[in-house]
Amino acid sequence: MLQLIFLALHFARTISAHGYMISPGGLNNKATFGAVRGFGGDNPDILQNPANPNNMCKGLPKGRVVPLSLGGNGASHSVGLSISAKHPGPCSMEIIDSATKRIVEIGAGNNCATQAGSRFDWTFTLKNMEQVTCTDCIMRFVWSSSNLIPTEFYQTCADITLTKAGGNSPAPPQPPQRNPQPQQPSPEPSPKPNPPAPTPKPNPPTPQPKPNPPPTPPQPNPQPAPQPNPQPPTTGGNTHTPADCKISNEFLCVQQCGKTLIHCTGAGTGVLTGALDGDNAVCNNGRIDFKSNCVA
């Protein structure tokens, strides 16, 4: 009988639960999926195997930092879990200040790892958010399997930049009220003397009419200056044909400053093509010249 009990305990120990948090923002959040310490490393079992509760984040180095927004107390938040062996037990979610290592439990529940499927979201209610003051934080998922002997402890850490979208933050303490001072009675205002009667102003003199100005002589209409007739723009000479080609891979201009060129393929042969360098390709004395202005 003792041997059977020992074998049963050993069997229960060897099928210990395995699981970890795979996404601090939920399974459907692609930005946070896999953003946990140890994910994608050389030892995948380090994520799901039990850990020493006194070894924070299993001693794994800081991983990929992702932004995460949390609401206030009473709001809900979901994280994605990957569980390969389902066992009942308490679960909790913590926010750890990366600088001071101060831990605040922001959510808790029982049997979070017993849902259907190998990957699912665990949704919990936020609490103690007024105690969270960090921005550079660690989000740690903690799970204990209560039906195993001894109890196994699991933890997964995610490095986050935290934004608090809601509040329930406590109001700042009000300063103590001082004893009010007794109000002094306001003195009665002294009666003001009556102002003196205004002195009447003399009547202004009557304005004299101004003489009419002499009429302005008419101004002669100026004649418009004759405008010179515009001259047609000079397009330049040096018109070339493929017969002017001397060597292959030479470029000749069809006009002095034209944008159509002749690409020589040999002596006396060539094909028409566009300028090689867009608007900066111009002609200089019948040859291609890469300058910004047309050269005479």
Side-chain angles (χ1 to χ4, degrees):
M1 178 64 69
L2 291 176
Q3 185 179 6
L4 292 177
I5 295 175
F6 174 79
L7 291 176
L9 292 176
H10 177 72
F11 178 75
R13 180 68 181 88
T14 55
I15 60 171
S16 59
H18 296 92
Y20 60 97
M21 176 177 65
I22 196 172
S23 177
L27 290 180
N28 293 329
N29 191 331
K30 296 181 180 179
T32 64
F33 189 88
V36 295
R37 294 190 182 186
F39 184 83
D42 297 333
N43 183 10
D45 288 337
I46 197 171
L47 272 173
Q48 57 186 3
N49 283 349
N52 184 348
N54 297 322
N55 186 15
M56 182 178 292
C57 299
K58 300 181 180 181
L60 293 171
K62 186 174 183 178
R64 174 165 61 98
V65 180
V66 293
L68 192 68
S69 177
L70 295 177
N73 294 339
S76 61
H77 183 75
S78 299
V79 297
L81 302 182
S82 177
I83 307 297
S84 59
K86 303 177 185 299
H87 289 274
C91 307
S92 66
M93 188 63 64
E94 300 169 346
I95 294 295
I96 305 172
D97 191 318
S98 298
T100 64
K101 300 300 184 285
R102 179 173 178 264
I103 301 174
V104 177
E105 185 181 74
I106 63 168
N110 288 317
N111 306 327
C112 68
T114 59
Q115 301 183 47
S118 59
R119 287 183 177 178
F120 47 83
D121 279 336
W122 173 45
T123 302
F124 55 91
T125 302
L126 293 171
K127 63 179 182 177
N128 300 326
M129 289 303 297
E130 74 279 0
Q131 301 179 26
V132 177
T133 59
C134 61
T135 300
D136 182 11
C137 313
I138 302 170
M139 189 177 195
R140 182 168 72 160
F141 167 66
V142 177
W143 168 40
S144 299
S145 57
S146 59
N147 65 331
L148 298 178
I149 303 175
T151 300
E152 292 184 342
F153 177 85
Y154 303 86
Q155 61 171 322
T156 313
C157 290
D159 297 285
I160 63 172
T161 301
L162 178 61
T163 301
K164 295 170 67 173
N168 292 346
S169 299
Q174 298 294 328
Q177 298 292 331
R178 297 181 179 179
N179 295 329
Q181 298 295 328
Q183 295 184 355
Q184 299 295 332
S186 300
E188 293 293 334
S190 302
K192 296 182 179 181
N194 294 329
T199 304
K201 295 181 180 180
N203 295 328
T206 303
Q208 299 296 325
K210 295 182 179 180
N212 295 329
T216 303
Q219 299 294 327
N221 294 328
Q223 296 297 325
Q227 299 294 327
N229 295 326
Q231 298 298 324
T234 303
T235 59
N238 296 329
T239 300
H240 288 282
T241 64
D244 296 327
C245 289
K246 297 179 181 180
I247 59 174
S248 61
N249 292 328
E250 182 181 30
F251 292 89
L252 304 180
C253 295
V254 174
Q255 290 182 345
Q256 175 68 17
C257 293
K259 299 300 180 182
T260 303
L261 310 176
I262 299 173
H263 181 189
C264 295
T265 57
T269 61
V271 293
L272 293 177
T273 182
L276 294 182
D277 196 27
D279 292 336
N280 290 332
V282 296
C283 298
N284 181 11
N285 297 326
R287 306 293 181 184
I288 187 65
D289 187 5
F290 295 96
K291 293 186 177 181
S292 58
N293 295 308
C294 188
V295 180

